[in-house]
Amino acid sequence: GDPALNRIVKYIPQMPDSDFKGTTLYLRVKQGDGSYRVFSPYFVPTLDPYDRYECRVGMGYTRIVSEFYGIRTEATIFVPQGDTRLIRDIQITNLSDQPVELDAIPVVEYTHFDALKQFNNADWVPQTMQSELYRDGDYTILAQYAFMRRKTHNNFFTSNWPVASFETDRQKFLGDNGYGTWANPLSLHAPELSNYEARRGDNIGALLHHLGVFQPGETKRLITQLGQEASIEKALPGIRKFRDEAAANAAFAALQDFWTDYLDTIQVETPDASMNSMLNVFNPRQCHTTKNWSRYLSLYQLGLGARGIGFRDTSQDTIAILAHSPEDGKKLIAMLLSVQMRNGAAMHQFNPLTMVANMGEAPLDPERPQYYSDDHLWIVLAVCAYLRETGDMAFLDAVIPYYEKDKHEQPLESGSVRDHLDRAIEFTRHDTGRHGLPLAGYADWNDTVNLPTGAESLFTANLYGWALRDLIALAEFEGDPAAAEKYSRYHADMKATVNEQGWDGQWYRRYYDHEGQPLGSHTNTYGQIYTNAQSWAVLSGFATPERAQMALDAVYNKLNTSNGIPVSTPGYNGYDPVVGGVSTYPPGAKENGGIFLHTNPWVMIAETKLGRGDRAFQYYNQINPAAKNDAIDVYEIEPYAYCQNILSPEHPQSGLGRNSWLSGTSSWAYTAGTQYILGVQPTYRGLLIDPCIPAAWDGFRMIRRFRGATYHITVSNPGGVSKGIASLTVDGQPVAGHTVPIFDDGADHTVEVVMG
Ligand code: NOJ
C-alpha cells in the first residue's frame, strides 16, 4: 500500500551490494559426513562462486537463474495481477550425476510498518515486533505484526511444502549471540531451526523445508508467498489457492496476458531496432512504473515518506499512459486536482494514502515563496491530453474539491475540472514580476534553483504558453469562441513579453533574479545558457521562427554531447546561497550542468516543430538506453530504463548515469518518440499523422488503438524527406488533411501515408 507507512520487508539502503537486504533463499546440500554445504542461489549474501548467473527483468516479474555446485535454481518472482502477495516460484534441479539431498530455507527480515521509525527508534520498535505460528494441516504459516496492528495487519510468510522447522528471531538464526552473519547463518548448520515465536526484537521468517533426495536431472518446485491481510483467517483462502502450482502458473500467464494487451496499444516497426525495443516494450513499461510510483519508491527514491506523489511529476507521468490506461489516468488526474488550491496554485506533493499534501522543500526556507510556480500548469496539459485521447468531455464538468479544508476536514470549496483549469491559468496570469513574467515561486520545473522572492521564470512563462494553446484548441473544439478569444489574448500578451524581455541576442534567457538580473545570459559566469529556455520557447509557440532556429542551434552548438544535452552550462563551481540547491552539486552533476535527461525529449519535440527530423532522432538515439549496451562499463545503468541524469563532460566521471526508472524522461521520451518523431497524435477530431523522421528512413509502421478502433498505419518515404505528407488514405479512400477520423467501431482500419 505505501512504502513509508506500510512497509513489510527491511531494506537498508546504501549498504554494499554484497549485503543481505531483507530477503533471500538458502539451499543446503547434505554432505557425506552429515555436515551441510550452505549457499544462496541468489548469490547474495553467501557470495559462493557460481557457474552461471542470470537475472532477467521481465514484464512484471524478475527471474534469477543460477548454477552452484551442480544445483540449478530458477526463481520467478512476481505479484499476481490485482493481488497483494509476492510469489517466489522456485524450481530446483540436480544437474549432477549423483543423487543429492537438499533443504531449502527461504528467509525474509521484517521492518516496522513505519519505515522511518525502524531507523530512528531502536527502543520502541523492537519492543513491538511479534511473530506467531499458524498450522494449516501439513503447512506452516508464519504471521508477523507490530503489536498495535495484531488485529488489523498480519504479514504472512508461507509455502507449498511442509515445513520441518522455522525461525522468527534474527539473533537465533544468525547465531553466536548476534555475532553470526547473513553470509553464514550458524543455525543452518544444525539439522533443525529452533521453532521460536519471537515476541520482540528483530523479526524474521525462515522456513526450513526438507526437499528430500534429488535424483540426477530431477526438479522440485517450491512456491513461497509473502503478503498481508487483516488476519491469517482472512488470508487463508488466498494462501491455499496459491499453494497449487496450477494457480501460480495461471497467475503468471494472466500477468503476461495483461502486459501483452497493454503493450499492443501501440506497436511500431521503424528502421531502428533500439527505438523499436524501447517504444514497443521497455518505455511503456517504465511509464507504467512512474504512473504507479511517481518519484516515491526505487533504489534511489527510498520511499521513506519524504516525497509521496509529486504534483508536477505525476501530471507529466499521466500523459504517457493515457492510451494504455485511460481510467488510471483519469483517477490520477482527479486525485491531483484535489490537491490544487483555491487560488489556482497546487500543493507540491502528497501521500496517496492519507491525501495529506505539503509544499515540498519550500518551508525549509520561509523567507522564499511558499509555492512552486509551475505545478498547477502541468495539470492543464494532462487534462487536455486525457480529453484528446478519450473524448470524455463530460470529465470537464466533474466536480472536484480544492485542497483547503475546514476544521472537520471538509473541503471549503469545490469546482468543475474546467474551473480548476481556469484558476490555474489565472493564478499565473496575475502572479507576475517586474518584467511582466511569471514569478519563480520557490522553484519552477528546476527544483534546485531557489531564488529569493521577486525572481521571475521564463520556464513558467513558456509552460503557461503551452497550457494556453491546449485550452485554445479545447475551446475551439467545444465551439466556445469567447474562451478561445480570452486564452488567445493571454497567449499573445505573454508571447510579446517573452520576446521583449527574454531574448538574450543568441538564445532565450531562463530567469530574472530578485534584483532583476538575468540568468541564462551570456553576461553570466555560470549558467550562461539553459536548455529548457530554448526548447520551451518553441513548445509554447512564443519563439518567432527565426529565434526558434537560433535557440535550438544554440542548444546543439553550445550544449549537446554524445550522451545527451546538459540542462545548462557552465556549472556553478561552489556553493552560492542566492541560487541555492543547484550549486550544492559539483559542475556537471544533476541540475548543475549535468545531462538531466528529462529536458532532452523537449528538445526533440521542439526540433520536430521545426521539421528537423535528423536532429530530433539524433537526440532520441543518443539517450536511448537500449543503444548504450556498449557503453555499459561507464554508463552503469540498466539498458532498458531511462535514467534521470548522466554526468556531463564538466565532471571527471563523464558518462556515468544515475537514478534510473523514476524520471520524467520516460513519459516525455515516449511522447516524443510516438507522437512527434513518428508523429501519430491523438486529437479531438481523430488521429493526426505528422511524422518528422530522419530523411534516410524509407518509412515505418505503427499499430495504434484509439477511440475504440485499431489503426494499422504504414508510412512510406519515397522522396527521403523528414516532414510533410503527400497523400493519406484510410481503408483505401483518400482523406484530405492529416487527420484520420474516429471510427469507434471496434474494427481494424488501414492507413497508408506517403511522405513528400
Ligand atoms: C526531479 C523532480 O522530481 C522533478 O519534479 C524536477 O522537475 C526535476 N528533478 C528537476 O529539478
Side-chain angles (χ1 to χ4, degrees):
D2 182 89
L5 300 178
N6 191 24
R7 204 177 273 229
I8 297 179
V9 173
K10 191 187 281 177
Y11 172 81
I12 302 185
Q14 293 149 9
M15 300 301 280
D17 295 337
S18 51
D19 277 20
F20 174 83
K21 294 185 189 67
T23 168
T24 194
L25 167 68
Y26 295 95
L27 298 182
R28 63 179 196 180
V29 178
K30 199 158 189 183
Q31 312 289 290
D33 62 358
S35 67
Y36 297 100
R37 166 177 270 159
V38 179
F39 65 95
S40 173
Y42 297 165
F43 183 58
V44 176
T46 62
L47 311 181
D48 284 63
Y50 50 79
D51 296 319
R52 175 194 174 102
Y53 192 95
E54 180 184 315
C55 179
R56 183 179 296 270
V57 179
M59 304 308 288
Y61 70 94
T62 298
R63 180 170 291 149
I64 296 173
V65 180
S66 67
E67 290 173 16
F68 293 82
Y69 309 117
I71 305 294
R72 176 188 160 94
T73 309
E74 183 174 319
T76 305
I77 304 163
F78 67 100
V79 176
Q81 278 297 101
D83 204 278
T84 54
R85 83 199 60 232
L86 183 74
I87 290 199
R88 288 194 176 79
D89 185 350
I90 302 155
Q91 306 208 28
I92 304 166
T93 306
N94 176 9
L95 298 179
S96 76
D97 53 8
Q98 299 295 317
V100 170
E101 190 178 338
L102 206 138
D103 295 341
I105 311 97
V107 182
V108 296
E109 183 177 15
Y110 295 104
T111 173
H112 191 265
F113 62 85
D114 182 332
L116 207 49
K117 286 241 163 55
Q118 178 70 49
F119 293 120
N120 65 18
N121 193 329
D123 176 32
W124 179 71
V125 164
Q127 302 290 13
T128 68
M129 299 287 274
Q130 303 207 330
S131 292
E132 204 176 338
L133 168 73
Y134 283 81
R135 292 256 182 237
D136 182 29
D138 289 343
Y139 300 101
T140 296
I141 303 165
L142 291 182
Q144 196 282 335
Y145 40 77
F147 181 67
M148 64 191 277
R149 305 215 303 182
R150 184 171 48 161
K151 293 209 164 61
T152 55
H153 296 76
N154 276 228
N155 300 324
F156 62 81
F157 189 44
T158 187
S159 70
N160 67 336
W161 276 72
V163 165
S165 55
F166 65 88
E167 185 56 80
T168 60
D169 180 85
R170 187 178 74 183
Q171 189 171 336
K172 289 183 188 299
F173 183 71
L174 300 182
D176 228 356
N177 277 322
Y179 287 88
T181 64
W182 288 107
N184 184 23
L186 298 178
S187 67
L188 293 183
H189 294 284
E192 297 298 343
L193 299 173
S194 81
N195 291 337
Y196 181 73
E197 291 173 70
R199 291 294 190 263
R200 66 167 309 286
D202 294 303
N203 284 199
I204 65 163
L207 301 170
L208 193 155
H209 307 86
H210 296 310
L211 299 184
V213 174
F214 286 59
Q215 296 303 329
E218 187 177 359
T219 299
K220 298 187 189 186
R221 189 167 170 194
L222 172 70
I223 301 173
T224 67
Q225 304 178 39
L226 174 68
Q228 188 186 77
E229 258 296 353
S231 65
I232 296 301
E233 288 68 31
K234 281 218 171 104
L236 269 180
I239 288 175
R240 288 176 180 156
K241 171 179 165 192
F242 283 106
R243 266 190 212 130
D244 183 4
E245 292 182 3
N249 294 344
F252 189 72
L255 188 61
Q256 298 318 299
D257 289 348
F258 164 81
W259 277 108
T260 303
D261 183 58
Y262 190 92
L263 298 177
D264 277 352
T265 306
I266 301 179
Q267 286 290 299
V268 307
E269 199 184 314
T270 78
D272 187 80
S274 301
M275 182 184 218
N276 296 343
S277 95
M278 284 312 284
L279 292 185
N280 290 336
V281 183
F282 298 108
N283 199 170
R285 161 82 178 123
Q286 187 175 354
C287 291
H288 185 269
T289 301
T290 58
K291 180 263 293 180
N292 283 347
W293 288 114
S294 193
R295 304 297 169 271
Y296 203 0
L297 185 64
S298 74
L299 290 175
Y300 304 84
Q301 315 283 0
L302 297 172
L304 293 173
R307 304 225 5 179
I309 302 287
F311 195 97
R312 166 201 302 143
D313 291 320
T314 293
S315 299
Q316 295 170 69
D317 296 343
T318 304
I319 292 171
I321 55 99
L322 291 170
H324 308 75
S325 309
E327 283 306 313
D328 282 357
K330 185 180 185 175
K331 273 190 213 135
L332 270 176
I333 289 171
M335 206 184 230
L336 290 162
L337 287 168
S338 75
V339 298
Q340 187 183 3
M341 292 179 291
R342 289 188 293 172
N343 68 3
M347 299 299 288
H348 192 57
Q349 55 202 22
F350 59 94
N351 181 300
L353 286 192
T354 61
M355 289 309 290
V356 173
N358 63 55
M359 265 305 170
E361 308 268 291
L364 296 178
D365 198 345
E367 302 285 296
R368 309 247 159 143
Q370 294 299 300
Y371 67 98
Y372 289 72
S373 64
D374 63 322
D375 284 341
H376 53 285
L377 294 168
W378 292 108
I379 200 68
V380 180
L381 274 56
V383 170
C384 292
Y386 170 76
L387 298 174
R388 291 190 298 262
E389 184 68 48
T390 62
D392 175 16
M393 307 310 282
F395 183 56
L396 282 168
D397 299 316
V399 174
I400 295 178
Y402 289 97
Y403 184 65
E404 291 93 334
K405 315 272 189 311
D406 65 16
K407 61 180 183 211
H408 306 293
E409 286 299 305
Q410 294 306 305
L412 286 175
E413 193 184 350
S414 296
S416 65
V417 170
R418 207 185 289 279
D419 186 51
H420 279 257
L421 302 189
D422 197 55
R423 288 194 197 190
I425 292 294
E426 293 297 343
F427 178 88
T428 297
R429 192 167 77 93
H430 291 106
D431 190 48
T432 52
R434 70 179 85 187
H435 295 90
L437 293 162
L439 290 166
Y442 183 72
D444 58 27
W445 169 89
N446 191 328
D447 270 323
T448 67
V449 177
N450 312 119
L451 296 163
T453 302
E456 294 160 281
S457 160
L458 268 298
F459 183 90
T460 305
N462 285 315
L463 177 57
Y464 171 74
W466 181 328
L468 285 169
R469 287 179 118 190
D470 272 2
L471 291 179
I472 295 164
L474 172 61
E476 284 168 353
F477 174 69
E478 289 203 299
D480 183 348
E485 185 281 321
K486 178 178 87 167
Y487 293 133
S488 300
R489 186 158 35 83
Y490 293 178
H491 189 271
D493 289 349
M494 189 55 79
K495 178 175 181 171
T497 306
V498 163
N499 280 299
E500 273 156 32
Q501 308 291 347
W503 185 245
D504 195 57
Q506 302 290 314
W507 57 80
Y508 283 99
R509 295 173 175 174
R510 177 66 172 83
Y511 305 90
Y512 282 99
D513 71 12
H514 57 300
E515 291 170 336
Q517 298 305 312
L519 276 74
S521 161
H522 70 285
T523 57
N524 297 120
T525 308
Y526 303 114
Q528 286 178 353
I529 174 168
Y530 282 74
T531 297
N532 282 342
Q534 319 318 319
S535 52
W536 273 86
V538 179
L539 303 185
S540 61
F542 290 162
T544 60
E546 190 200 359
R547 287 183 176 180
Q549 197 165 322
M550 284 173 81
L552 292 184
D553 285 347
V555 170
Y556 192 72
N557 296 324
K558 293 195 149 302
L559 285 155
N560 190 40
T561 78
S562 58
N563 280 318
I565 309 163
V567 65
S568 60
T569 201
Y572 290 89
N573 198 1
Y575 183 63
D576 175 347
V578 176
V579 289
V582 61
S583 62
T584 60
Y585 295 109
K590 296 268 286 187
E591 285 99 330
N592 192 21
I595 300 170
F596 209 93
L597 290 173
H598 191 162
T599 63
N600 282 230
W602 292 328
V603 186
M604 299 168 205
I605 297 173
E607 287 288 355
T608 66
K609 299 216 178 240
L610 267 54
R612 303 200 292 197
D614 284 308
R615 202 168 275 181
F617 185 75
Q618 179 186 342
Y619 289 141
Y620 182 87
N621 191 51
Q622 70 190 10
I623 67 160
N624 185 344
K628 283 183 181 284
N629 264 322
D630 295 341
I632 206 76
D633 287 332
V634 175
Y635 177 57
E636 285 193 5
I637 293 292
E638 307 94 309
Y640 46 82
Y642 285 99
C643 64
Q644 182 210 58
N645 66 88
I646 301 176
L647 295 172
S648 80
E650 283 197 80
H651 192 285
Q653 278 180 271
S654 175
L656 176 71
R658 273 297 171 266
N659 203 343
S660 50
W661 284 98
L662 301 185
S663 165
T665 318
S666 181
S667 175
W668 285 105
Y670 192 59
T671 305
T674 55
Q675 297 196 21
Y676 291 92
I677 296 178
L678 302 185
V680 178
Q681 282 182 41
T683 74
Y684 296 109
R685 295 195 161 80
L687 266 189
L688 173 71
I689 318 264
D690 187 18
C692 183
I693 58 175
W697 282 13
D698 55 7
F700 65 91
R701 288 172 201 270
M702 182 188 287
I703 301 176
R704 174 65 152 96
R705 290 187 195 150
F706 176 66
R707 307 262 193 120
T710 303
Y711 299 80
H712 298 257
I713 305 161
T714 304
V715 176
S716 54
N717 185 22
V721 300
S722 275
K723 203 171 169 106
I725 287 184
S727 72
L728 193 156
T729 63
V730 179
D731 298 328
Q733 301 301 313
V735 168
H738 299 182
T739 303
V740 180
I742 294 163
F743 290 103
D744 199 9
D745 56 1
D748 291 296
H749 296 275
T750 306
V751 181
E752 304 273 352
V753 183
V754 180
M755 294 178 71

